[in-house]
Amino acid sequence: LSLSNMAAPSNAEQTQLQDMEEEEAGMEEREMESDEEEGMGVENSEDEEDDSSEDEKENEAEIQRLEEQLSINAFDYNCHVDLIKLLKQEGELFRLRKARQKMSELFPLTEEIWLDWLKDEIRLTEEDSNREKVYELFERAVKDYICPDIWLEYAQYSIGGMGSPGGIDKVRSIFERAVTAVGLHMTKGQTLWEAYREFENALLSAQLERIHTLFRRQLAVPLMDMETTYAEYEEWSENGVPETVIHLYRKALQQKEKCKSYEETLLVAEPPKLAEYQAYIDFELKEGDPARVQITFERALAENCLVPDMWTKYTTYLDRQLKIKDLVLSTHERAVRNCPWTMSLWKSYLQALERHGADHQSVSDVFEKALNAGFIQATDYVDIWQAYLDYLRRRVDFKSSKELEELRAAFSRSLDYLKQDVEERFGESGDPSCAIMQIWARIEAHHCKNMQKAREVWDNIMTKGNAKYANMWLEYYNLERAYGDMTHCRKALHRAVQCTSDYPEHVCEVLLSFERVEGTLADWDTAVQKTETRLNRINEQRAKAAEKETNLARHEEEKMEQRRKAKAEKKAQKKAQKTSRGGEKRKAEQDDYQEDWTEESAPKRQRGNSDNNADEYMETETGLFVRNAPPGNKSGGARNAQQGAAVAAQRQNDDRREMRDDSCSVFISNLAYTLEDPEAKLKSLFESCGPIRRVQLITGNRGISRGYGYVQFESAAAVPDALKLDRKEVEGRPMFVSPCVDKNKNPEFKVFKYNTSMEKHKIFISGLPFSCTKEQLAEICKPHGSIRDVRLVTYRSGKPKGLAYVEFANETQASQAVLKLDGIDVEGNKVSVAISNPPRKSLTDKPGSSRPMGDIMPRQVYGSRGRGRTQLSLLPRSLHRQPAPPGKVENGTAAEGAPPPPTGGAAANAAGEPRSLSNSDFAKMLLNK
């Protein structure tokens, strides 16, 4: 076709073509965007897969680490729990079931772990043929702890199988067991009763009488919200509530009111609620209902399963009161599974098995488990072996050789076990007195009439380092007296005389007494000769040891003396150097000061002696003569005025002290210097203790309080009440209140009122945050026992040190608190907790301790409360002289070069009785200066 025949497109066609082109471009863009999104999605999915794979690798590595750790120590409880959590997170059902199985073989599982396990198994079980495995798992779960939730889950699961032959009877049987086990649970028992009634309601109307019976049984049990159950029974019953049911219901209400306070205490308390449960158990023991005692114990142990004392108390009650074989043995088994480290629980378990006639193989298996339980001290292994050997001895007929040989083999095995396994672990056998071997020797002598074997055992005992002890030889001697002959008795005593080193005199006396009764004259002479020879040798050894000890002590004293002399000489040299430098400086200052004063006061001297004396000297309030400062030196006058005020304040305090009656007074200290109107404040604080005669505050040279003083009452009866205010906070500082005692007259008086020795019922906590209060600390410690007192240690300024003491009702509670609180985090601080055992002070710190004072430099006496910061020396410089060293005297004759003896007042000074100086004496010294 020619180009002329081609028609031009219309406007509509052009618009359509443009739209098609735009759509194609848009499609292309969308395809590109989708391609980009697909690429990004692929990248994101790849990143997620990488992250998940990394997490899986980390979890798998952690799982392998936990499994290796359990292969080393299978009794690591926390490791088991962590492994189960990780396996459940990873969905490893086979390994998870295996991990749970291993943990359940070693430990009782908690309610949460059992419920998780049971729910997982229920979901996996769809066929009726596998329901029996779940039933077996439920039976294991209800044996660990008495938990209402597990019993309820068990009953509800059994309802699903009621269509099978005998299913209804099985469900009813499980419900009966459940209400028997936990139907008395005050707070959770009602849920189980209601589930049981709902099950019976779901059956035919022929079961109406059974529902009536359930209502009557439930209303006879004290449960929370039992009024609702009674109202429901009234509405359900067509003939009303029988009188017998009303009587039982009212009786149960009365019992519930008795227990209500204990239940309310448990509701508000924080786990583990040990003290609250103990109080509840004591109440139920007094009431005497065995079923309620049992359920209370079970509730307490569900939250305190690691408290050995609670298990001991429960098993003892069952052994002595209920004596039901299945219940007693199952409880003992649960006790040792929860606290395998407690030897006394294993010992009680063995005795319970023997008491209820368990077969020998069962007792032996329990004993072998006890040996592998991991006791914490060597003596525990000795005690468990003794319990097992006692059991074996009681089952021996001593006429049959089989049991006897088993007993002897057990004795031999026990000795090998203590020597190898126990000594390797603890460094000691745990039986230093060889108690097991002594029992073996006595059994051989008494029951088997085999003295030869008994002597062999005793020879083995003596070779273990016991030959030096008199009591061991006397024990052997008594065995020979009872089952042996006189020849071996005499031989044993002769050996005892030769070997004993702790009480040889007593052994010699026993030998002589024996020969008086049994021996001949020749035997007596031999005994006397041996005892005298032995005692002489012992006395010589003791004398040598005493001499050696004396020489060592003298040598130590000489070393101490040399160190004291060197220290004293060093101090004397330092003091002499310091005094010489200070003297030169003071002399230069004095010369400058004298020149200035001489120049300024020259015109005044020209006026005459009378005016000069009147200007230069004046008498202060204290009676001391001081020189007026020149016009250009005002500081000297201010200093003299301060000295005068200080002396006046000191005289005033001394006068008040002479007027004070110490028996009616208390000493107050650590008050704030800025305390406004302190006398009025102290009166308001102590007026509740008794009538106050006066309040005396010690003040400084400017009249400012020094922070301590005295409060004197009208009678001494008010003093004990005043001492109770010790460490009461007064404007942010603890006020110290102590008896008013003159320490110069009573140097051994101690103001510190707290014990400085070990207190097993008190714990010491360190590392506390400074913001921690007594109330907060009491809340932290309250779950672990009954708290008697909480004391925060503070500085004198009232600021906390981060230390505290908490006193519990008994040692058991304090020990539990140490185990549970040590290392916990309190407001970001990791605290340390231990039994209170303050370090003892050294003997040299005590007032009555003997310290050699011969060559020690005499210290300046500042008074009973030390030197104050404002204390000034008012002694003139002319008296600051170093005393000349006294001349040495030998054989009553004065040494050469010694000065002649002083006379008069000087003699008094030499005798150690200095004459007091009057004001005129001080004035003369100042004038001479």
Side-chain angles (χ1 to χ4, degrees):
L1 299 176
S2 62
L3 294 175
S4 61
N5 292 331
M6 295 180 64
S10 63
N11 294 332
E13 291 177 349
Q14 290 179 356
T15 305
Q16 186 176 2
L17 289 173
Q18 292 177 356
D19 293 339
M20 292 176 63
E21 291 176 357
E22 290 178 358
E23 288 179 1
E24 290 178 359
M27 291 177 62
E28 291 178 358
E29 291 180 358
R30 284 194 295 272
E31 289 177 358
M32 293 176 64
E33 290 178 357
S34 62
D35 292 339
E36 291 179 357
E37 290 178 357
E38 289 179 0
M40 293 177 63
V42 171
E43 293 177 357
N44 292 334
S45 62
E46 290 177 355
D47 294 339
E48 291 177 357
E49 290 178 359
D50 293 340
D51 294 339
S52 61
S53 61
E54 289 180 1
D55 293 340
E56 290 177 359
K57 290 180 180 179
E58 291 179 359
N59 291 339
E60 184 63 29
E62 181 66 15
I63 290 172
Q64 292 180 0
R65 186 189 67 81
L66 293 173
E67 290 177 345
E68 291 177 0
Q69 186 172 348
L70 288 175
S71 64
I72 299 173
N73 181 15
F75 290 92
D76 192 338
Y77 185 89
N78 294 328
C79 190
H80 281 285
V81 175
D82 295 339
L83 179 60
I84 290 173
K85 288 181 180 179
L86 278 176
L87 290 174
K88 186 175 182 180
Q89 181 180 347
E90 291 295 316
E92 297 281 350
L93 298 180
F94 177 75
R95 297 171 69 184
L96 177 61
R97 180 183 295 173
K98 187 177 179 181
R100 285 168 170 168
Q101 183 69 27
K102 285 185 177 180
M103 184 177 181
S104 65
E105 293 173 358
L106 298 174
F107 300 100
L109 304 186
T110 62
E111 182 179 358
E112 293 78 7
I113 297 178
W114 269 122
L115 289 174
D116 289 341
W117 190 1
L118 290 168
K119 290 176 181 178
D120 290 342
E121 294 293 340
I122 289 172
R123 284 194 294 267
L124 294 175
T125 305
E126 297 179 355
E127 300 178 1
D128 292 340
S129 59
N130 293 329
R131 295 183 67 87
E132 292 299 326
K133 295 182 179 180
V134 181
Y135 284 137
E136 293 176 1
L137 201 60
F138 269 112
E139 290 295 332
R140 291 173 55 189
V142 296
K143 289 180 181 179
D144 277 354
Y145 299 109
I146 305 299
C147 299
D149 293 338
I150 294 179
W151 275 109
L152 183 61
E153 188 73 23
Y154 191 10
Q156 290 176 347
Y157 178 74
S158 65
I159 292 175
M162 59 185 294
S164 59
I168 295 177
D169 293 336
K170 184 165 187 173
V171 175
R172 189 172 287 128
S173 172
I174 292 174
F175 267 116
E176 285 294 331
R177 290 173 57 196
V179 296
T180 302
V182 296
L184 294 178
H185 198 292
M186 186 73 76
T187 56
K188 296 183 178 181
Q190 185 169 353
T191 306
L192 202 59
W193 284 103
E194 291 177 354
Y196 195 3
R197 284 192 284 106
E198 291 295 331
F199 165 73
E200 295 293 348
N201 274 325
L203 299 179
L204 298 177
S205 59
Q207 307 296 333
L208 291 179
E209 185 59 32
R210 188 178 296 277
I211 298 174
H212 275 288
T213 304
L214 284 177
F215 267 116
R216 294 167 187 169
R217 290 170 62 187
Q218 182 179 354
L219 291 175
V221 176
L223 300 172
M224 289 295 182
D225 200 19
M226 60 186 305
E227 294 84 356
T228 305
T229 305
Y230 181 79
E232 184 179 351
Y233 185 37
E234 279 185 323
E235 182 180 354
W236 185 84
S237 178
E238 296 178 355
N239 300 325
V241 182
E243 288 296 328
T244 55
V245 177
I246 295 176
H247 175 70
L248 294 175
Y249 169 69
R250 290 174 179 173
K251 187 176 180 181
L253 277 178
Q254 294 176 358
Q255 181 66 28
K256 189 191 79 169
E257 290 300 321
K258 292 180 181 179
C259 304
K260 188 175 181 180
S261 60
Y262 296 99
E263 292 292 341
E264 290 175 350
T265 304
L266 288 174
L267 288 175
V268 299
E270 295 182 1
K273 311 175 186 178
L274 179 60
E276 290 78 8
Y277 274 121
Q278 286 178 341
Y280 203 171
I281 290 170
D282 293 338
F283 164 75
E284 292 294 353
L285 287 173
K286 291 180 182 178
E287 291 292 317
D289 187 352
R292 291 204 56 80
V293 173
Q294 181 186 356
I295 190 63
T296 309
F297 266 116
E298 292 291 350
R299 291 175 61 185
L301 289 168
E303 298 189 49
N304 299 275
C305 59
L306 300 180
V307 180
D309 292 341
M310 184 68 72
W311 284 106
T312 302
K313 192 174 183 179
Y314 186 25
T315 53
T316 303
Y317 172 77
L318 296 178
D319 287 335
R320 297 178 181 177
Q321 300 296 329
L322 296 186
K323 301 178 182 180
I324 302 173
K325 178 180 178 180
D326 294 337
L327 177 61
V328 170
L329 296 183
S330 63
T331 305
H332 276 287
E333 182 182 4
R334 290 191 294 136
V336 297
R337 290 184 67 196
N338 279 276
C339 304
W341 64 87
T342 307
M343 184 278 306
S344 59
L345 294 177
W346 288 100
K347 184 177 179 180
S348 301
Y349 191 11
L350 290 174
Q351 293 172 351
L353 288 170
E354 182 184 2
R355 191 178 296 117
H356 291 281
D359 59 285
H360 176 60
Q361 187 61 40
S362 299
V363 179
S364 299
D365 292 342
V366 171
F367 171 70
E368 295 297 333
K369 291 180 181 179
L371 290 181
N372 297 323
F375 299 141
I376 58 177
Q377 54 187 6
T379 54
D380 290 343
Y381 288 95
V382 177
D383 292 339
I384 197 66
W385 267 110
Q386 285 183 335
Y388 183 60
L389 293 170
D390 292 343
Y391 157 74
L392 292 178
R393 196 271 307 163
R394 286 189 288 266
R395 66 185 296 268
V396 173
D397 188 10
F398 292 106
K399 295 179 181 179
S400 173
S401 60
K402 182 178 180 181
E403 289 84 1
L404 180 58
E405 291 302 322
E406 185 178 358
L407 176 61
R408 286 172 175 167
F411 270 111
S412 299
R413 183 192 168 195
S414 68
L415 299 180
D416 295 337
Y417 186 88
L418 294 177
K419 183 178 180 180
Q420 297 175 4
D421 297 47
V422 178
E423 283 190 6
E424 181 180 355
R425 179 179 175 186
F426 297 98
E428 58 171 341
S429 65
D431 190 15
S433 59
C434 300
I436 292 178
M437 299 180 71
Q438 291 188 43
I439 295 172
W440 188 7
R442 191 166 290 276
I443 290 174
E444 293 287 351
H446 177 65
H447 293 287
C448 303
K449 311 301 180 184
N450 189 352
M451 276 303 300
Q452 184 62 31
K453 181 65 176 178
R455 293 184 184 111
E456 292 178 1
V457 174
W458 264 105
D459 287 340
N460 194 9
I461 291 174
M462 292 305 179
T463 57
K464 293 184 178 295
N466 294 303
K468 58 183 177 181
Y469 300 117
N471 63 326
M472 303 297 290
W473 284 108
L474 294 179
E475 187 70 24
Y476 177 37
Y477 162 73
N478 291 330
L479 183 70
E480 288 287 353
R481 287 282 286 182
Y483 307 105
D485 51 45
M486 295 302 105
T487 303
H488 286 88
C489 285
R490 182 176 289 108
K491 185 178 179 180
L493 289 177
H494 279 274
R495 292 175 62 191
V497 169
Q498 295 297 325
C499 300
T500 301
S501 60
D502 55 351
Y503 298 104
E505 292 86 355
H506 182 60
V507 175
C508 293
E509 184 179 352
V510 173
L511 174 59
L512 295 177
S513 299
F514 172 78
E515 296 298 351
R516 282 193 180 97
V517 177
E518 302 290 344
T520 63
L521 180 59
D523 296 332
W524 171 262
D525 292 338
T526 304
V528 170
Q529 182 181 358
K530 284 194 174 184
T531 54
E532 289 180 352
T533 304
R534 178 59 177 168
L535 291 179
N536 290 334
R537 189 181 307 152
I538 290 292
N539 291 330
E540 292 176 0
Q541 293 175 356
R542 290 174 178 173
K544 291 181 180 179
E547 184 180 359
K548 184 178 180 180
E549 187 175 352
T550 304
N551 293 333
L552 289 175
R554 187 184 299 111
H555 185 61
E556 290 296 328
E557 288 180 359
E558 290 176 356
K559 286 185 177 179
M560 291 292 294
E561 192 74 16
Q562 292 176 0
R563 285 196 290 267
R564 283 195 292 267
K565 285 183 177 180
K567 191 174 180 180
E569 291 176 358
K570 189 175 181 180
K571 285 185 177 180
Q573 292 176 359
K574 288 184 178 179
K575 189 172 182 180
Q577 294 175 0
K578 186 176 179 181
T579 304
S580 62
R581 290 196 298 267
E584 294 175 357
K585 183 176 180 181
R586 284 195 298 271
K587 184 177 180 182
E589 292 177 353
Q590 187 175 1
D591 293 341
D592 297 338
Y593 174 72
Q594 185 68 26
E595 292 176 1
D596 294 340
W597 197 351
T598 303
E599 293 175 358
E600 292 180 4
S601 61
K604 292 184 180 181
R605 288 198 187 94
Q606 296 176 359
R607 299 176 186 173
N609 292 333
S610 60
D611 295 338
N612 192 10
N613 292 335
D615 292 338
E616 291 185 10
Y617 301 100
M618 60 178 290
E619 187 173 0
T620 65
E621 295 178 359
T622 60
L624 297 179
F625 287 92
V626 296
R627 184 187 300 270
N628 278 343
N633 190 1
K634 296 183 180 180
S635 60
R639 183 165 59 252
N640 294 333
Q642 290 179 4
Q643 292 177 358
V647 175
Q650 183 65 30
R651 281 191 174 185
Q652 185 179 6
N653 293 334
D654 293 342
D655 294 340
R656 290 183 180 180
R657 180 176 180 181
E658 292 177 358
M659 297 170 61
R660 186 177 65 248
D661 185 2
D662 290 347
S663 62
C664 302
S665 304
V666 293
F667 176 70
I668 314 298
S669 61
N670 202 44
L671 297 174
Y673 295 150
T674 58
L675 188 65
E676 295 183 0
D677 199 1
E679 293 189 2
K681 186 73 174 179
L682 292 178
K683 284 183 179 179
S684 64
L685 288 173
F686 289 94
E687 62 184 0
S688 60
C689 303
I692 298 175
R693 178 175 297 179
R694 63 178 176 178
V695 177
Q696 177 190 354
L697 284 174
I698 307 302
T699 58
N701 54 357
R702 297 182 181 177
I704 301 175
S705 171
R706 289 190 174 181
Y708 64 91
Y710 303 87
V711 176
Q712 183 175 358
F713 298 93
E714 294 291 345
S715 64
V719 172
D721 293 334
L723 293 175
K724 295 179 181 179
L725 298 178
D726 183 35
R727 298 182 184 273
K728 180 178 179 61
E729 188 172 325
V730 178
E731 294 191 3
R733 293 174 64 91
M735 175 182 65
F736 300 157
V737 184
S738 58
C740 190
V741 177
D742 188 357
K743 289 189 178 180
N744 293 326
K745 298 179 181 179
N746 299 277
E748 297 182 358
F749 176 77
K750 297 180 179 179
V751 179
F752 191 70
K753 66 178 182 179
Y754 301 106
N755 200 344
T756 57
S757 59
M758 175 178 284
E759 298 173 282
K760 296 184 178 180
H761 65 287
K762 187 182 293 186
I763 64 174
F764 172 69
I765 306 176
S766 60
L768 289 170
F770 294 151
S771 59
C772 183
T773 62
K774 292 177 64 175
E775 291 75 15
Q776 293 175 347
L777 189 58
E779 287 297 325
I780 294 174
C781 301
K782 185 178 179 181
H784 309 292
S786 178
I787 297 176
R788 290 184 176 178
D789 183 40
V790 177
R791 178 167 66 91
L792 294 176
V793 183
T794 62
Y795 292 99
R796 297 179 67 90
S797 61
K799 295 182 180 180
K801 292 185 176 181
L803 311 175
Y805 291 90
V806 180
E807 182 179 358
F808 286 89
N810 53 51
E811 300 177 6
T812 303
Q813 296 178 2
S815 300
Q816 289 297 323
V818 171
L819 293 176
K820 298 295 179 64
L821 296 179
D822 187 33
I824 67 170
D825 185 84
V826 179
E827 297 183 8
N829 290 28
K830 185 177 180 181
V831 300
S832 298
V833 185
I835 296 296
S836 175
N837 187 16
R840 295 185 177 181
K841 296 182 178 180
S842 60
L843 296 176
T844 57
D845 294 337
K846 297 181 180 180
S849 62
S850 59
R851 294 180 59 183
M853 302 296 293
D855 296 316
I856 298 180
M857 294 288 291
R859 298 191 304 172
Q860 186 175 354
V861 179
Y862 297 116
S864 60
R865 304 195 67 81
R867 177 173 182 175
R869 288 178 292 181
T870 60
Q871 187 170 351
L872 302 175
S873 175
L874 301 180
L875 192 65
R877 292 194 183 99
S878 60
L879 296 183
H880 287 173
R881 298 175 182 173
Q882 295 292 335
K888 296 183 180 180
V889 180
E890 186 175 0
N891 297 331
T893 306
E896 296 181 2
T903 59
N909 292 339
E913 300 178 357
R915 181 177 64 84
S916 59
L917 300 177
S918 63
N919 291 335
S920 59
D921 293 332
F922 280 104
K924 290 178 181 179
M925 285 187 289
L926 286 169
L927 291 174
N928 293 334
K929 187 65 176 178

